[in-house]
Amino acid sequence: MATLEDKILGEKLQNYCSSSEDEGSEDEDSRSGDEAEGKSSEVVSTSVDPTPVNNWNGTASNTGPKGVLEDWRRFKALEAANREIQAKERFVLAKKLTMTVKTAREEEETKEIDELEDELNELLDEGFLMQYQQQRMQELMTQLQKAPKFGKVVTLKTQDEFLSAIDKEDSKVTIIVHIYNHNVQACESMDGCLNILAGDYPYIKFCRIAADIAGLSRHFRVDGVPALLVYKGGQIIGNFVQLIFELGDDFYASNVEKFLIEYGMLPEN
């Protein structure tokens, strides 16, 4: 058990071809191609089909080397165009699939928002609010009925009574102790005020103890009083001394009440 002094002061080579061989082959192909082209042009120069290049129907109109090359170029162009069309189709399909997934996600989010709005509307329903208020009031009343009730100022006659009044009390109860001196007018005024507040705040425990019984120095008994010490859960939460400078010699219960409310020692009524 803590001492009285402690209580007061607080605590990631295959198919390889030689480049030189390729170059030789290309030179031979180009020379043989040029010779063949010269001969062909001398023999069949007037037999060329005037059909436009872009109207190719899949059959070759010129069986010479130039015709074969031109047919090859057309084939490759069509092949490239076909690949481009396929690529575009794949892109469009992928875009559609992406849009479909996005829409599904948006629909899910919209559904969640709608559910939240419905729940909020239910919470804001007047009947629901009234029912909740009544239930909460009943819970508070039950808690108050279980809490200790006092209603008067308790005079502590010894140091042991002082320590017991703090250490053995319910941890939820706020205890306000007045340290007084019989010969100081402000202490008498404080006693009268606490008697009134004890009736107004029956769930607050008000006590009083004489400075000399508490074992305080003569200097404190003269200049430190009236003093109010506030405890909760065995710990000091408020220590107010020399209240004569704050309140004067003559004051009222409303003055003491306002003072304690401002410092959070009393709940607002």
Side-chain angles (χ1 to χ4, degrees), residues 172-177 194 197 201 203-206 228-232 235-240 243 256-268:
K172 297 179 181 179
V173 174
T174 299
I175 306 166
I176 299 178
V177 180
L194 295 184
L197 295 179
Y201 297 88
Y203 301 101
I204 304 295
K205 184 176 183 177
F206 290 91
L228 293 179
L229 305 182
V230 186
Y231 298 88
K232 193 170 187 178
Q235 303 296 322
I236 188 167
I237 62 174
N239 189 353
F240 309 100
L243 287 175
V256 179
E257 180 182 30
K258 181 180 179 182
F259 176 84
L260 292 174
I261 289 176
E262 286 178 352
Y263 282 93
M265 301 297 110
L266 285 180
E268 294 189 33

Side-chain angles (χ1 to χ4, degrees), residues 29-100:
D29 290 342
S30 62
R31 284 196 299 270
S32 61
D34 291 341
E35 292 175 358
E37 182 180 353
K39 293 178 182 180
S40 176
S41 61
E42 291 176 1
V43 176
V44 292
S45 59
T46 60
S47 62
V48 177
D49 189 352
T51 303
V53 173
N54 294 333
N55 291 333
W56 184 58
N57 59 3
T59 60
S61 60
N62 189 340
T63 58
K66 292 182 70 175
V68 171
L69 291 174
E70 185 62 29
D71 291 344
W72 175 253
R73 293 191 188 98
R74 290 174 179 172
F75 170 76
K76 297 302 290 185
L78 288 173
E79 186 179 44
N82 186 46
R83 285 198 300 269
E84 183 178 354
I85 292 173
Q86 290 178 349
K88 289 181 179 180
E89 290 177 349
R90 287 195 296 269
F91 175 77
V92 171
L93 178 60
K95 186 175 181 180
K96 287 182 179 179
L97 290 174
T98 302
M99 292 178 65
T100 302

Side-chain angles (χ1 to χ4, degrees), residues 122-188:
E122 182 180 352
L123 290 174
L124 294 178
D125 181 75
E126 183 177 355
F128 174 83
L129 290 176
M130 183 64 69
Q131 181 181 358
Y132 175 79
Q133 184 179 16
Q134 293 176 353
Q135 179 180 352
R136 184 56 181 161
M137 288 179 64
Q138 185 63 38
E139 291 175 355
L140 292 174
M141 291 298 296
T142 302
Q143 292 177 4
L144 287 176
Q145 291 175 358
K146 293 180 180 180
K149 191 173 182 179
F150 307 97
K152 64 180 181 179
V153 178
V154 178
T155 300
L156 307 174
K157 299 178 180 179
T158 66
Q159 293 183 11
D160 288 339
E161 288 185 5
F162 176 79
L163 295 175
S164 296
I166 297 169
D167 292 333
K168 295 182 179 180
E169 190 54 73
D170 191 310
S171 61
K172 297 179 181 179
V173 174
T174 299
I175 306 166
I176 299 178
V177 180
H178 172 213
I179 298 180
Y180 66 93
N181 188 330
H182 294 287
N183 301 320
V184 178
Q185 176 61 38
C187 290
E188 294 183 9

Side-chain angles (χ1 to χ4, degrees), residues 16-28:
Y16 173 74
C17 296
S18 170
S19 59
S20 60
E21 292 177 359
D22 293 341
E23 291 175 357
S25 299
E26 289 176 359
D27 291 342
E28 292 176 1

